[in-house]
Amino acid sequence: MKIQTTCPFCGCGCGMLLEVEARQVISASPQRSHPLSRGTLCTKGWNGHQIIHHPQRLTQPLIRDRKTLKPATWRQALTLISKRFAELRNQHGAESLGIIGSVKMTTEEAYLLNRFARSVLGTPHIDTLVRYDHAPSVRVLQEQTGYATATAGILDIEKASVLLIIGANPKAQTARIGSYIFQAAKRGVPVIQIDPRQQEHSAFYAHFLQPRPGTDLTLINAMLQVILANGWQDAGVLGVSHLRDDGLQRFTPEYAETVCGVPADKIIQVAEVFAKSGPGIILYGTGITQQANATAHVQALWNLALLTGNINREGAGLIPLLNANNSQGIIDAGLMTELAPGHRLIQSNETRHALKKQWSALPEKRGYTIQEMLRHAGGKLRGLYLVGENLAWAAPDAQAAVKALQRLDFLVVQDLFLTETAELADVLLPACSFAEKEGTFTNLEGRIQRVHRAIPPLGESLPDGEIFCRLARAFGAPFPAYDPKLIFQEMQSIMPCYEKITYAQLDHPGGVVWPAHAAAGDGRCRTLMGERRGALVPATAGAPFAEPPDEEYPFTLFTGRPVFHRRSGTLVSRSFTLDKEDAVQTVEISTDDAKTLKLRSGWPVWVVTRRGKLRCTLSATRAVAPGTLFLPIHHKSGPTQALMPATMENESGIPEMKLCAAKLETA
Amino acid sequence: MQASAKVTVAKHDFLEGLGRCMKETTVIAPVKMKDGEVTFEPVRTAKQITFDYVNDHDPLKRFFMPAREELFSFQNARGKALLKSPPLPKPRVLFGIRSCDLQGLAHLDHFFQGAFEDQLYLQRRKSTLIISLACNEPLDTCFCICCNGGPFLESGFDLQLTDLGESFLVDIGSRAGRKFLDDWKVPCQTAKRKDEQLRQALMHKCDEKMIPTAYLAKACIQITNNRVREEVWDEMGAECFSCGGCTHVCPCCSCFDVFDCTEGETGQGTRYRCWDSCQYSGFTREASGHNPRAKAKERVKRRFYHKLSYAYIQQDGHPGCVGCGRCITVCEAFQQLDVPAVVKRLRRDG
Amino acid sequence: MGNLRMENIYLPDLALIDRIVDETSDTKTFTLHLADAAKNRRFRFKSGQFVEATVFGVGEAPFGFASNPHSPRQFDITVRAVGAVTHAMHVLKPGDYLGIRGPLGNNFPLDEVTGQDILFIAGGIGLPPLKSLIDPMLDRRAEFGQFIILYGARTPADRVYKPLLQEWRNRGDIQFLQTVDTPDAEWKDHVGVVTTLFEKVKLDIKRTVAFTCGPPIMIRFVIQDLLTMGFAEDRIISTLERYMKCGVGKCGHCAIGHKYICVDGPVFSYRQIKRLPER
Ligand SMILES: Cc1cc2nc3c(=O)[nH]c(=O)nc-3n(C[C@H](O)[C@H](O)[C@H](O)COP(=O)(O)OP(=O)(O)OC[C@H]3O[C@@H](n4cnc5c(N)ncnc54)[C@H](O)[C@@H]3O)c2cc1C
Ligand code: SF4
Ligand code: FES
């Protein structure tokens, strides 16, 4: 039998059918009627289901008994958690507790966890790994449009006349979007790509700019400068003088050439193509958000979209390529310390007032982001509830993160597998996979889609949402039995963006894109923003690159994802087929540098940074420029992120984990 | 093979007979899913069956070679292991399979026989009665006429139905097929010449609508003689997403990988096979780390060598393509790397 | 509905380990016999064929026979630990069992090459499969002309079958030369890649059949040199190695062109190799 559901890997949200036989999921196949995926899946979609029945799945709660984790009943585990958390709260206050949620949970579960954290535990410290990918996007888009979400839909790509991709490898990261971009390029739509590494599809794009890593802000500002200097901006755009006052003038293409290493005339050319081709979409990824100046990057891109008339227009807009299947749903549910459900800021009195009516209790202020929680672990923060994230691999400066987790008085981890992080837990709760529960995922364009239960939970594992409800009840809070449909309705009552959607509609192929009251054909941004216009914002005051190369560490190391990989690799490495794809950890170096250093492809090397080293196989290629090294994340042989810095960008709380200085040593 | 006998049967009579059969034997037939798409699955009554379909997006080879299946189970014990082959399949009926999928099964039959006989597949084939349904109306991605894959077939079925409006024209392809009609008391009339003429007309109309795209010969020659320029493969390799979709949905593809799964510390476990794809780089990586097809380009080349080289056509008796068009729909590199597209590219090259 | 007799080509037989010999730090030779006495009595293989060996719960991997096909009721495989299955095999003890499917694949020509001069070129772990041919040939030494074995390994310690190598050295009726890439203090023999040994032997090219087995890169260079020396393409016999799963021509992993290494190989003449579309 086939069960229709939504792919649990990336933010595209492809429609998928799970084939079930004798309570086992034996395959996944694509849903032909799906408006986005149209009968396709990427390699993760096809093979990722193999995790469901992996023999290492956790099937019962475990409690730490000195050095080892021992099987326990749910009652024992939940009682212990409520007892220990209550003790910590009594001793150190509610603010000694923190919550980190998974970006793979359903939206209903994220909402419940949010409610549990803020109204039952009473802590303001909640966050998710959206922080690590797109915290700056959340901040800028929320400020400008009122909603922390893309201003265009994925299908708008088919209507755009020009596309700009920066800091992303859509083919690998969000394959379905990569496919739409590829199709556009084949139709002759000019695609401009800006990236320090040439990708397989770059050759099909009309323009490929390869700036030095870490110089994106100068490049975008130079494009803005060229557009303004030539009067190519959209006629109706207001507030251009802000940009002039901000000193945009000094970003001449010639200046940018010296900083970025991209020829001035090329900058002028792509600025003209982008400004003059008609409706355009900017797609960007973690390549520009995990850096110093991350927020300024997104602001500058916003300026570019606004200046070229690409906000409030069909086939135009700004799309952050959110990483996880439900990053957007997590944002919608407000599971970030600065947000409340429904894209409102928790700081706002109005928001707090409304929410308090529903939830009865709410902490007074915003709390810590992930990086701050780790920093305060063992000090102000004593207890942590970590749901479905393998911080020991995913966190920048991973060893430091592990040490932080070890400093805690009490750590609860909820996961499918005994990850490196789960091994540190005092209590480990077995969650079930996407195939074993009901609910919704919201893809990166705000498409709410159903997740359907194909098989019963394995062993004693439970849906995350069910665990939250039981835990809340263990704290004496009157949470009802977990029913995703009722939770969805509760969310609708306090999240205007989810209004006017019936649960049945969600079952249509492709579900519903919120806001659902948008009339068909109406640009998504227009309906989102209402009367708002958004403003040009100063974004030129770039902070210097935190760790420039020097004599000791002469290379700039940057990271990216291969196609068969996701996030910390906890899941994909447990898919038999995907795991085979990922046999060797490679590091890419330019052919010129390899020649100078007398190194050859296939040789083992150590990549060394100030935080650690990783053994890799060298690959000499023309895809990267001299002076740079490229490392795919993550490989099972060792956490890539352990090499990367955890320096925090203050505006958004994102760690600057994309770039750092590095050297190579022969192994 | 002798020309099959033909009868006509009123549609509701046939379905009633099939309904009687369902009480005793599993019948797999096309049903509508919630989203309007069609899938094949076991049905309990004839009412569940839909005729409003061209084909299932997931090829029916899955009923003979499931995406994941048990090869055997084992129990490790002291000094020995107890091994058990999976149970023999039960008899069943597959109703409504299209000609292209059936031609795909013929391809797999040939492959799974050979020097070693894959009884897991062959026994499922043997225990399944095939009632196929010829196509009157192709999809815009269909090109079975180019690959001898339809719209109707001369052999390979137990019964082949052609929809003539009120009745089916039934080709009886085997003794088991005739027995089905007798056992379930399906009232048959001898087919008249006009019935056959009507079918010919329908099929002719169907032919007309098909994409006349896959003139295979030139591509076959180019591939067999390795005359395709490397740049052409380079470009295709760069385009390819290596999703493996084309091989998963191909009725002729059958590559698999093997893995063991154990249950905790019990020493008990199962060896499975699961579909694999020559489009994945892990497919050929060797113990030394050496990978003869490390680049997507080499893998795309491999796929088309297997599908279209004369060496393979001679070995298999048929190209590795039946014209179902699924690889057109499934390809992430939209309309660039499916069989008709590549055939066209190779035709233009050189 | 047809004959439901079922023979599962994927189901292994149980084999018991009689003896384990450490060859190098990462290589061991296992002497095995089939647990079922009747099956074991009937078990016959030819030089160059291989088995699929299973550690239940870990997986299955192919290994060439490393012993004389005529030695009764036992056979050897020599296994280098590189991954999951091979490491699992290395922790086994005599008396433990493995799953075995085979013999599989084609074989080296033997009767076809009587009367010829014989040249073996082996690299590292490539010697074991050749040993399954060398052994029976030496039993019938008189039927062959000149008999030369060239063996190359990375270091002296990486050589397999060290006592046997010594025996070969001491035999007057064959010429055995060995070389290593990196010598140690005691090493007195040749240093360099295996192809450097060609200068040290005198060959009657027209009368000689060459057999080679080893890492792909070595095989490539060996064949190049043999061709340059004037060997006819069908007088160069090599084995090809590919990632293999089923061993019976069904899983598709080992295919090169339309040939399946597991059934059409692993033994090929260079004339056949040359015709394969991917090399
Ligand atoms: C015909 C033939 C004869 C062989 N004879 C011998 C022999 O006599 N002695 C010997 O030591 N080795 C021999 N090998 C190689 C041996 O089969 C591999 O070393 C073994 O399969 C590795 O299995 P593993 O589970 O330990 O490795 P894995 O953990 O499965 O894999 C480690 C690496 O090996 C690759 N790999 C997995 N399975 C295979 C495979 N079947 N073939 C090649 N690569 C694979 C994986 O992709 C991975 O990169 C032979 C191979 C073939 C094809
Ligand atoms: S593109 Fe994303 S959503 Fe679609 S199948 Fe791949 S991982 Fe899943
Ligand atoms: S190993 Fe499976 S086909 Fe050769």
Side-chain angles (χ1 to χ4, degrees):
Chain A
M1 202 174 52
K2 293 205 169 181
I3 308 289
Q4 198 275 311
T5 192
T6 303
C7 175
F9 289 96
C10 85
C12 294
C14 296
M16 155 187 285
L17 305 168
L18 292 179
E19 188 170 6
V20 178
E21 226 182 271
R23 296 184 151 205
Q24 299 249 329
V25 175
I26 65 164
S27 74
S29 58
Q31 184 186 13
R32 189 162 44 175
S33 62
H34 196 274
L36 260 187
S37 54
R38 300 176 187 167
T40 67
L41 289 175
C42 78
T43 172
K44 289 183 288 287
W46 278 106
N47 299 295
H49 68 88
Q50 292 170 355
I51 62 161
I52 299 168
H53 297 286
H54 193 281
Q56 286 167 1
R57 272 283 303 273
L58 295 171
T59 51
Q60 61 189 141
L62 302 171
I63 293 181
R64 179 163 302 280
D65 181 6
R66 283 185 220 106
K67 284 235 150 1
T68 53
L69 286 162
K70 294 240 168 83
T73 64
W74 273 104
R75 181 186 289 272
Q76 288 167 332
L78 295 177
T79 312
L80 180 64
I81 296 171
S82 58
K83 177 169 152 273
R84 293 288 286 129
F85 274 175
E87 281 170 12
L88 290 171
R89 193 166 55 178
N90 290 342
Q91 277 174 22
H92 308 282
E95 298 196 4
S96 65
L97 304 177
I99 301 261
I100 296 174
S102 162
V103 284
K104 312 213 70 97
M105 294 188 285
T106 64
T107 311
E108 292 78 359
E109 291 168 336
Y111 171 85
L112 269 179
L113 181 60
N114 189 355
R115 187 174 156 184
F116 167 73
R118 282 171 163 154
S119 76
V120 180
L121 289 183
T123 177
H125 309 314
I126 62 167
D127 211 356
T128 64
L129 261 69
V130 172
R131 179 76 53 204
Y132 282 174
D133 300 333
H134 278 283
S137 312
V138 168
R139 177 173 163 176
V140 174
L141 290 166
Q142 202 281 340
E143 258 169 28
Q144 293 295 336
T145 72
Y147 294 94
T149 188
T151 75
I154 294 174
L155 293 176
D156 275 311
I157 298 173
E158 293 193 309
K159 300 181 191 141
S161 305
V162 57
L163 298 170
L164 173 69
I165 315 161
I166 176 163
N169 182 353
K171 181 188 177 190
Q173 255 176 299
T174 42
R176 192 55 198 154
I177 290 180
S179 174
Y180 280 114
I181 298 172
F182 173 73
Q183 291 170 34
K186 284 276 167 183
R187 279 199 309 273
V189 171
V191 180
I192 303 162
Q193 183 176 40
I194 302 177
D195 205 284
R197 175 171 175 268
Q198 187 168 10
Q199 299 153 6
E200 289 129 336
H201 276 186
S202 306
F204 303 114
Y205 302 154
H207 306 279
F208 174 65
L209 274 54
Q210 193 168 19
R212 295 190 184 109
T215 64
D216 308 84
L217 188 58
T218 306
L219 189 59
I220 308 167
N221 276 326
M223 283 177 69
L224 286 163
Q225 194 274 350
V226 171
I227 291 170
L228 275 183
N230 291 285
W232 293 332
Q233 71 266 33
D234 183 58
V237 68
L238 301 173
V240 170
S241 58
H242 283 326
L243 294 182
R244 298 220 169 92
D245 296 346
D246 184 34
L248 191 67
Q249 248 74 336
R250 74 191 165 88
F251 289 88
T252 59
E254 293 72 25
Y255 166 71
E257 175 167 350
T258 61
V259 176
C260 314
V262 176
D265 51 355
K266 193 72 204 171
I267 300 175
I268 299 170
Q269 186 191 14
V270 299
E272 181 167 11
V273 168
F274 190 74
K276 289 188 168 173
S277 296
I281 297 183
I282 303 172
L283 301 110
Y284 66 96
T286 51
I288 60 157
T289 58
Q290 296 175 335
Q291 282 190 34
N293 302 323
T295 305
H297 285 148
V298 182
Q299 278 163 339
L301 289 179
W302 169 264
N303 288 346
L304 183 60
L306 200 59
L307 197 64
T308 47
N310 282 316
I311 298 295
N312 276 342
R313 186 179 188 184
E314 199 174 40
L318 198 58
I319 305 183
L321 295 172
L322 302 182
N323 271 317
N325 59 322
N326 202 27
S327 296
Q328 187 64 59
I330 301 296
I331 299 170
D332 297 350
L335 196 65
M336 292 176 82
T337 188
E338 66 270 42
L339 295 179
H343 298 252
R344 289 162 300 187
L345 295 179
I346 195 84
Q347 298 290 68
S348 128
N349 284 333
E350 205 183 323
T351 308
R352 300 170 45 71
H353 190 70
L355 199 55
K356 217 165 178 171
K357 262 205 253 160
Q358 289 269 355
W359 287 5
S360 68
L362 206 62
E364 281 307 312
K365 47 180 195 197
R366 65 171 274 179
Y368 296 151
T369 61
I370 299 181
Q371 241 27 52
E372 290 163 328
M373 286 192 228
L374 291 174
R375 191 188 306 154
H376 292 293
K380 287 188 189 151
L381 198 83
R382 297 296 179 134
L384 184 65
Y385 183 18
L386 184 55
V387 182
E389 294 294 356
N390 187 5
L391 281 187
W393 282 65
D397 201 356
Q399 307 94 312
V402 170
K403 288 204 189 97
L405 296 175
Q406 285 167 334
R407 285 197 302 269
L408 291 163
D409 292 359
F410 191 62
L411 173 65
V412 180
V413 174
Q414 183 165 312
D415 210 308
L416 268 67
F417 295 103
L418 185 63
T419 62
E420 290 74 11
T421 310
E423 281 169 8
L424 307 171
D426 294 294
V427 179
L428 181 51
L429 303 176
C432 64
S433 77
F434 76 107
E436 296 146 62
K437 61 186 179 188
E438 297 279 339
T440 59
F441 290 156
T442 301
N443 82 347
L444 62 78
E445 57 173 342
R447 185 180 291 278
I448 310 173
Q449 308 191 82
R450 282 301 308 274
V451 178
H452 283 292
R453 186 175 128 139
I455 52 166
L458 292 196
E460 287 176 33
S461 69
L462 290 174
D464 294 294
E466 175 70 41
I467 302 175
F468 302 148
C469 285
R470 291 193 187 188
L471 195 55
R473 287 201 296 275
F475 277 89
F479 274 41
Y482 179 54
D483 178 348
K485 184 173 175 185
L486 291 180
I487 304 293
F488 190 81
Q489 283 157 357
E490 181 178 326
M491 290 196 297
Q492 286 187 296
S493 73
I494 60 172
M495 292 162 50
C497 57
Y498 277 22
E499 266 174 12
K500 300 204 173 91
I501 298 168
T502 66
Y503 210 60
Q505 277 176 320
L506 296 178
D507 251 329
H508 295 168
V512 178
V513 182
W514 67 260
H517 50 264
D522 213 353
R524 173 170 160 77
C525 190
R526 209 160 357 199
T527 51
L528 272 178
M529 291 176 68
E531 294 303 303
R532 287 174 88 125
R533 309 250 21 121
L536 293 168
V537 266
T540 57
F545 179 6
E547 216 187 83
D550 53 24
E551 271 187 16
E552 200 187 346
Y553 294 94
F555 287 99
T556 306
L557 172 70
F558 64 106
T559 60
R561 284 180 183 74
V563 59
F564 39 82
H565 232 288
R566 289 292 335 142
R567 315 185 56 247
S568 74
T570 303
L571 296 182
V572 290
S573 69
R574 286 175 172 91
S575 154
F576 172 69
T577 306
L578 294 176
D579 189 43
K580 277 193 307 176
E581 293 293 284
D582 195 12
V584 272
Q585 171 73 290
T586 52
V587 61
E588 292 183 1
I589 187 172
S590 76
T591 12
D592 294 347
D593 285 344
K595 219 174 268 163
T596 323
L597 295 173
K598 299 201 168 55
L599 292 171
R600 284 235 209 103
S601 280
W603 287 9
V605 290
W606 289 101
V607 179
V608 188
T609 74
R610 292 193 166 83
R611 285 148 297 278
K613 58 184 196 170
L614 194 66
R615 199 186 149 98
C616 300
T617 302
L618 196 78
S619 164
T621 163
R622 291 188 198 289
V624 296
T628 64
L629 298 174
F630 173 79
L631 197 59
I633 51 177
H634 283 278
H635 189 266
K636 54 183 178 276
S637 66
T640 320
Q641 298 297 24
L643 304 185
M644 308 313 285
T647 330
M648 210 172 77
E649 194 230 24
N650 284 328
E651 281 75 12
S652 66
I654 197 168
E656 303 171 5
M657 60 211 264
K658 180 57 68 180
L659 300 172
C660 70
K663 63 180 169 189
L664 286 183
E665 284 173 5
T666 44
Chain B
M1 170 166 265
Q2 95 198 76
S4 49
K6 291 183 181 58
V7 294
T8 55
V9 180
K11 272 184 177 170
H12 66 270
D13 285 343
F14 195 94
L15 288 177
E16 270 177 23
L18 190 64
R20 286 190 282 277
C21 169
M22 284 174 202
K23 298 212 168 67
E24 293 184 19
T25 312
T26 305
V27 174
I28 298 164
V31 297
K32 273 256 155 86
M33 288 187 285
K34 263 198 277 184
D35 65 357
E37 282 295 324
V38 91
T39 183
F40 279 69
E41 60 184 41
V43 292
R44 254 163 287 122
T45 68
K47 278 213 192 67
Q48 287 174 266
I49 300 177
T50 180
F51 286 91
D52 176 22
Y53 74 102
V54 178
N55 214 345
D56 188 336
H57 189 37
D58 197 1
L60 302 197
K61 68 177 180 189
R62 70 179 189 271
F63 292 106
F64 303 92
M65 191 202 169
R68 194 192 77 184
E69 76 175 303
E70 178 183 331
L71 296 179
F72 61 86
S73 61
F74 53 85
Q75 166 77 58
N76 283 311
R78 237 172 192 285
K80 63 171 189 229
L82 302 171
L83 308 180
K84 212 167 98 207
S85 279
L88 286 172
K90 295 206 180 66
R92 53 184 185 169
V93 174
L94 176 54
F95 175 83
I97 181 174
R98 294 297 190 180
S99 306
C100 52
D101 274 331
L102 189 52
Q103 190 61 38
L105 289 181
H107 190 90
L108 296 182
D109 293 349
H110 180 86
F111 179 72
F112 280 124
Q113 287 164 4
F116 292 88
E117 294 193 342
D118 188 313
Q119 292 296 342
L120 296 170
Y121 171 89
L122 293 172
Q123 294 293 347
R124 278 204 200 87
R125 275 291 273 139
K126 259 190 203 157
S127 58
T128 309
L129 185 98
I130 301 275
I131 305 177
S132 67
L133 187 57
C135 282
N136 296 7
E137 191 65 43
L139 284 174
D140 56 5
T141 48
C142 289
F143 58 98
C144 57
I145 45 167
C146 310
C147 304
N148 189 30
F152 73 102
L153 297 178
E154 300 295 336
S155 64
F157 45 82
D158 294 299
L159 297 174
Q160 170 173 257
L161 312 186
T162 307
D163 188 340
L164 299 181
E166 295 298 304
S167 63
F168 289 126
L169 177 65
V170 182
D171 298 282
I172 303 172
S174 72
R175 218 171 289 155
R178 184 176 299 279
K179 190 160 175 304
F180 174 91
L181 295 176
D182 294 345
D183 284 358
W184 308 111
K185 311 212 161 31
V186 181
C188 308
Q189 280 90 46
T190 331
K192 308 219 174 57
R193 182 186 281 159
K194 72 166 192 346
D195 297 326
E196 179 58 26
Q197 281 166 345
L198 185 51
R199 166 170 47 202
Q200 291 299 345
L202 283 169
M203 295 304 130
H204 192 71
K205 230 167 75 201
C206 186
D207 278 8
E208 303 269 86
K209 287 185 192 149
M210 249 177 263
I211 40 172
T213 170
Y215 301 110
L216 302 178
K218 174 83 182 283
C220 293
I221 294 166
Q222 294 287 88
I223 288 174
T224 309
N225 299 323
N226 204 4
R227 258 197 242 133
V228 182
R229 283 179 306 128
E230 284 304 300
E231 300 86 89
V232 177
W233 295 121
D234 279 336
E235 184 174 9
M236 294 200 267
E239 288 171 358
C240 181
F241 282 70
S242 301
C243 69
C246 52
T247 58
H248 295 318
V249 299
C250 180
C252 300
C253 278
S254 61
C255 288
F256 60 85
D257 207 339
V258 179
F259 64 98
D260 285 9
C261 221
T262 44
E263 281 159 38
E265 305 296 306
T266 57
Q268 197 173 346
T270 309
R271 176 163 296 169
Y272 291 105
R273 68 168 157 200
C274 65
W275 290 355
D276 204 349
S277 172
C278 59
Q279 300 305 295
Y280 298 150
S281 69
F283 191 76
T284 45
R285 189 179 295 105
E286 287 163 23
S288 57
H290 168 72
N291 191 350
R293 288 187 216 125
K295 292 206 190 109
K297 151 196 177 177
E298 286 140 1
R299 305 195 290 269
V300 172
K301 195 171 175 180
R302 163 68 196 164
R303 174 164 163 252
F304 284 94
Y305 188 85
H306 196 169
K307 298 257 160 267
L308 297 179
S309 74
Y310 281 126
Y312 260 112
I313 294 176
Q314 197 173 27
Q315 191 160 306
D316 298 338
H318 194 274
C321 172
V322 290
C324 71
R326 288 180 174 103
C327 57
I328 303 174
T329 314
V330 85
C331 185
E332 289 278 23
F334 186 72
Q335 297 191 353
Q336 304 293 331
L337 297 174
D338 50 78
V339 168
V342 170
V343 162
K344 207 189 227 163
R345 284 166 94 154
L346 299 191
R347 197 162 64 226
R348 285 192 190 140
D349 179 61
Chain C
M1 288 219 160
N3 171 14
L4 292 188
R5 191 181 54 95
M6 177 116 166
E7 276 204 34
N8 186 345
I9 50 174
Y10 305 108
L11 189 71
D13 289 314
L14 288 189
L16 293 170
I17 301 175
D18 298 328
R19 196 168 53 243
I20 300 176
V21 176
D22 284 317
E23 303 288 357
T24 74
S25 61
D26 63 359
T27 306
K28 294 184 181 192
T29 296
F30 297 79
T31 303
L32 306 164
H33 73 270
L34 296 189
D36 182 313
K39 274 188 183 159
N40 196 48
R41 227 174 298 123
R42 273 183 273 124
F43 191 79
R44 298 271 182 287
F45 67 91
K46 291 184 176 153
S47 317
Q49 288 192 291
F50 66 96
V51 290
E52 286 277 355
T54 285
V55 179
F56 294 99
V58 183
E60 198 175 38
F63 303 97
F65 285 103
S67 52
N68 193 330
H70 301 300
S71 59
R73 292 179 199 172
Q74 274 188 333
F75 60 92
D76 290 355
I77 53 177
T78 297
V79 177
R80 175 148 166 233
V82 296
V85 176
T86 45
H87 277 115
M89 288 173 74
H90 271 227
V91 300
L92 296 176
K93 309 230 156 22
D96 288 344
Y97 59 85
L98 285 171
I100 289 287
R101 287 190 301 132
L104 301 168
N106 70 354
N107 53 281
F108 288 118
L110 198 159
D111 294 327
E112 296 84 338
V113 297
T114 47
Q116 308 290 313
D117 287 358
I118 304 292
L119 169 66
F120 285 98
I121 309 108
I125 189 73
L127 185 57
L130 292 180
K131 179 173 174 287
S132 75
L133 179 60
I134 296 174
D135 282 354
M137 279 186 165
L138 289 179
D139 288 350
R140 300 159 56 178
R141 176 67 191 90
E143 295 175 37
F144 303 95
Q146 211 190 169
F147 204 103
I148 302 172
I149 304 172
L150 309 179
Y151 183 38
R154 263 185 309 148
T155 70
D158 281 319
R159 293 169 307 143
V160 294
Y161 311 140
K162 288 174 201 97
L164 179 69
L165 302 184
Q166 194 55 42
E167 235 176 78
W168 285 348
R169 259 168 77 100
N170 297 343
R171 270 180 89 127
D173 59 347
I174 68 172
Q175 206 179 340
F176 171 70
L177 300 181
Q178 51 183 347
T179 177
V180 297
D181 298 348
T182 325
D184 59 13
E186 276 106 80
W187 187 250
K188 302 214 173 51
D189 246 321
H190 303 282
V191 174
V193 292
V194 76
T195 44
T196 56
L197 294 178
F198 284 139
E199 309 165 1
K200 315 270 190 281
V201 290
K202 267 189 68 137
L203 300 170
D204 182 349
I205 307 289
K206 294 274 163 308
R207 271 183 52 110
T208 308
V209 181
F211 295 88
T212 178
C213 183
I217 176 98
M218 179 208 95
I219 293 187
R220 221 181 31 243
F221 285 117
V222 166
I223 291 182
Q224 250 172 38
D225 285 7
L226 292 175
L227 291 172
T228 325
M229 282 185 242
F231 270 84
E233 286 169 357
D234 53 0
R235 283 179 165 266
I236 304 173
I237 314 287
S238 173
T239 60
L240 287 182
E241 197 182 316
R242 275 284 167 122
Y243 180 90
M244 275 189 192
K245 270 296 155 162
C246 71
V248 289
K250 303 299 181 205
C251 74
H253 281 95
C254 70
I256 303 185
H258 64 296
K259 296 286 183 199
Y260 290 76
I261 305 307
C262 64
V263 289
D264 301 316
V267 178
F268 292 94
S269 73
Y270 180 67
R271 172 177 297 210
Q272 291 167 311
I273 294 177
K274 206 180 79 172
R275 291 208 191 118
L276 297 174
E278 321 169 65
R279 264 174 291 147

